[in-house]
Amino acid sequence: MITFEKTLSKQEMDTLVVGIFQQTQLLEGVLKDINEQLDGYLSALLKSGDISTKLKKLTSVYTLGKLPVKRLLFVGLGKKQEWKREKAQEAFAKVFQSIQEERKEEVAFLLDSFVNDHVPSTEVSYIAGETYALSTYKVKDYKNKSNVPEKELKAIVLISKEDHSDLDDAFQTGLVYGKGTNSARTLVNMPSNLLTATELARYASQLAEKYDFELEILEKETMQELGMGGILAVNQGSVEPPKMIVLKYKGKKEWENAIGLVGKGITYDSGGYSIKPKNGLMNMKTDMAGAAAVLGAMEIIGELEPEQNVVAVIPATDNMISGSAMTPDTVITTMSGKTVEILNTDAEGRLALADAIYYAKQHKATSIIDVATLTGGVVVALGTHTTGAMTNNEALFEQILEASAQTGEQVWRLPIFEKDRDRVRNSQMADLNNSPGREGHAIMAGAFLEAFTDGTPWVHLDIAGTATVNSNGLLGPKGATGVMTRTLALFVEQYEG
Ligand code: BES
Ligand code: MN
Ligand code: ZN
């Protein structure tokens, strides 16, 4: 699908995309040749402002048979010295979305026109691959008259004088990251009646099959034997059986220094007896976005095979109401032995995650990252562009922050102080309570989870605000974002433990 050329080939092409910085002079390279073949017409159009250099602005110039390409599609890149990764993503997204709308089957890029000192050609190639996947993603719907089958792009040609095998590697890696993110999006967008815990487990087992991961799926009976009172309490009101999904990727000779990736897999969150108001019930099919991010990251890991050990643990169940559902005033015993007084059945994620974190430790995870749509509180605190983080280990957090800076998935830390821990421990009946009240409740959730890490280095990522968007954007449509898929995978690739 992706091919490379050193220069504009003789063979007829439909569209050649050219990045154009402010004050570009057509003095050298392919563009100079093209300009000459067009009798200096390009430099005239640039001078008169008819070809816009404003970031993301598109200008079509038809070549009327004078070149082996029908059309030049210029995309404005703004000031060359301000060119960076995020802008490149947006510019490429704009181009891919426009090409998709036009139902083109092939497109060529003059890759070297997108390069400056901060963004080398390999990076541009990576961004092209990643952005192609992200920006053209479509949400699968269930309409009888379904979205007209999009014509897929059959060929992308990258024209560059740089080493083609490096560019190819970069493009393919970008594509893997983009596709893994899209897989996560698809899981999150799926209706909750179709994506049950059983289906999520089936999906994970297919992933295990494809990438040769070790697979373990704990059924309810085994959870009972193991004393997983957290996830079982959440599942108590449901007719759907719970699943504890475990995937192991072994990238080292010995099973040591394993990274634990734990993802909240609540396939639907009604709130339970502490039922949500009717607006709050909307979109609660997305309460498994943490699980989806972990599975998306595992797909990327399976493709790229980094030299790391990774164990993914996903507690999967819905949170429903019935005569057998847990109620406030219940006291449960988690797998760790710690008891919890239930004050709010809508604070269910932390109960399921408590067992999953403990179980990841039993699988010898020595660092744990959990990802969860855990609290409305984090949305109030940080909004919808920034994932909230909490940690018990500075060095591990730095590694997550570093990866997130590279992927552009913003992360900001919230504190856990001793007085926060006191509030979580404040129960007359049990070791912990699951809901100390609305003040700082994103932090309360973090402090609760921390109690189950027992000192194992851990970072908690609360994606309640970032897992979905409510309008179409350049890097993806309305609905699931697949947030943290890329950050988790990159973190794993770069992990130093
Ligand atoms: N799944 C929700 C959190 C959530 C809210 C996700 C909005 C996505 C969007 C979680 O289980 C929940 O209900 N949290 C409660 C916690 C409270 C009971 C302490 C909340 O945020 O209100
Ligand atoms: Mn809830
Ligand atoms: Zn929830």
Side-chain angles (χ1 to χ4, degrees), residues 264 266 269 284 287 346 348-349 373-374:
K264 174 176 173 182
I266 301 298
D269 182 11
M284 275 305 134
D287 213 15
D346 199 9
E348 84 296 341
T373 47
L374 210 57

Side-chain angles (χ1 to χ4, degrees), residues 1-13:
M1 184 199 80
I2 169 99
T3 54
F4 294 86
E5 304 275 355
K6 284 280 178 208
T7 180
L8 197 56
S9 74
K10 290 282 154 286
Q11 154 199 350
E12 182 74 25
M13 264 189 298

Side-chain angles (χ1 to χ4, degrees), residues 61-110:
V61 175
Y62 291 88
T63 62
L64 306 179
K66 295 197 173 187
L67 284 171
V69 53
K70 233 190 269 172
R71 171 179 72 151
L72 300 168
L73 179 60
F74 290 94
V75 52
L77 307 182
K79 290 202 178 97
K80 189 164 187 174
Q81 63 274 23
E82 290 173 11
W83 182 239
K84 55 178 181 176
R85 205 194 132 75
E86 292 77 17
K87 292 186 177 183
Q89 268 185 325
E90 294 199 338
F92 272 95
K94 189 86 187 178
V95 170
F96 281 123
Q97 286 182 356
S98 159
I99 293 284
Q100 189 184 44
E101 255 167 52
E102 296 172 329
R103 305 188 177 282
K104 299 286 185 198
E105 290 187 2
E106 53 159 38
V107 59
F109 287 87
L110 193 56

Side-chain angles (χ1 to χ4, degrees), residues 291-327:
V294 168
L295 291 171
M298 289 304 282
E299 177 182 328
I300 299 170
I301 290 162
E303 288 283 342
L304 302 180
E305 302 186 319
E307 270 180 46
Q308 304 285 1
N309 292 327
V310 184
V311 53
V313 184
I314 293 167
T317 173
D318 49 6
N319 181 28
M320 303 299 275
I321 310 174
S322 77
S324 61
M326 69 169 160
T327 59

Side-chain angles (χ1 to χ4, degrees), residues 244-265:
M244 184 67 81
I245 303 166
V246 183
L247 292 175
K248 271 183 175 176
Y249 164 77
K250 194 170 168 216
K252 295 182 181 183
K253 280 212 176 63
E254 303 300 326
W255 186 256
E256 57 184 17
N257 223 345
I259 303 166
L261 301 181
V262 176
K264 174 176 173 182

